[in-house]
Amino acid sequence: MNAEFKYRSMNRSTLRLIVAALAGLMLLGSVGCDESKLSGTNGEQSDNANEERGDENADPTGEVPLDEDPGHGSGDEEGVVIPAGFMNGSWRASAGEQDEPAVYFDTFQDEGDPEISGDFTMGFAIYELYDGETGHLETASFDGETLTVMWNPTTDRDEMLTLKATRVDENTLEGSVTAKRNIELNVPVTLTRVTE
């Protein structure tokens, strides 16, 4: 009796496998039928598909001529690579004898262009309350020697922090952070390039 039970369960398992295999074949067959509506017998696009889309002069191979493919031409301007400017990268402004984090900048600058764009993340050395606040820089520029950055980490629309710093070497600037409304604020900072 045990042998008969094993035989029945093996037949059911085999039957399940066969049903699953047939369902898979049917699924593959239906996908193949959908593709055949768009393709001819040798894989080329049928004339009906071109007419439905209104491509009367479409290339049956599907290739786009180089002169008609925007962004992939052989123009001179495409090979021009603009080198990064001095301020391009990540920077850390620290304050005090303990080198406490004041603000972090991620800045983008093209060589020869004084304009800088980027983002900031506040540390706790300027305003402990705004530690971790992030946002975009309002304005920033670097003329080769002097950096000026303005940003607002506060909820007060009229407030603005300003960093003015002078280049010391390839990875360091020194200056101070002031505030528009809090005129007593004047925090000396050292801005260093983050290389990690």
Side-chain angles (χ1 to χ4, degrees), residues 102-113:
V103 62
Y104 298 91
F105 297 110
D106 286 315
T107 55
F108 307 95
Q109 180 192 26
D110 293 335
E111 186 176 271
D113 184 1

Side-chain angles (χ1 to χ4, degrees), residues 58-102:
D59 185 354
T61 63
E63 294 181 12
V64 178
L66 281 178
D67 59 342
E68 294 180 17
D69 188 9
H72 297 288
S74 57
D76 293 336
E77 66 277 355
E78 289 191 27
V80 176
V81 175
I82 300 172
F86 174 79
M87 287 304 301
N88 199 68
S90 296
W91 297 84
R92 178 184 188 265
S94 57
E97 292 179 8
Q98 302 299 319
D99 201 31
E100 297 171 332

Side-chain angles (χ1 to χ4, degrees), residues 24-44:
L25 286 173
M26 290 175 62
L27 179 63
L28 287 175
S30 69
V31 170
C33 289
D34 288 343
E35 289 178 4
S36 68
K37 291 178 185 175
L38 297 176
S39 301
T41 55
N42 59 1
E44 294 180 3

Side-chain angles (χ1 to χ4, degrees), residues 109-183:
Q109 180 192 26
D110 293 335
E111 186 176 271
D113 184 1
E115 295 289 319
I116 298 172
S117 61
D119 302 310
F120 69 87
T121 301
M122 292 298 293
F124 61 85
I126 297 174
Y127 289 125
E128 191 170 332
L129 178 65
Y130 295 116
D131 185 22
E133 291 292 324
T134 61
H136 300 293
L137 301 179
E138 285 292 321
T139 62
S141 64
F142 180 70
D143 65 7
E145 290 300 318
T146 304
L147 170 69
T148 304
V149 181
M150 298 178 77
W151 75 101
N152 186 354
T154 73
T155 55
D156 180 355
R157 290 184 181 184
D158 295 327
E159 180 63 289
M160 191 67 61
L161 297 184
T162 302
L163 165 66
K164 287 199 179 203
T166 304
R167 181 175 174 174
V168 175
D169 59 37
E170 289 302 308
N171 296 312
T172 312
L173 294 103
E174 290 181 346
S176 62
V177 175
T178 58
K180 180 180 177 182
R181 296 194 54 162
N182 182 4
I183 57 174

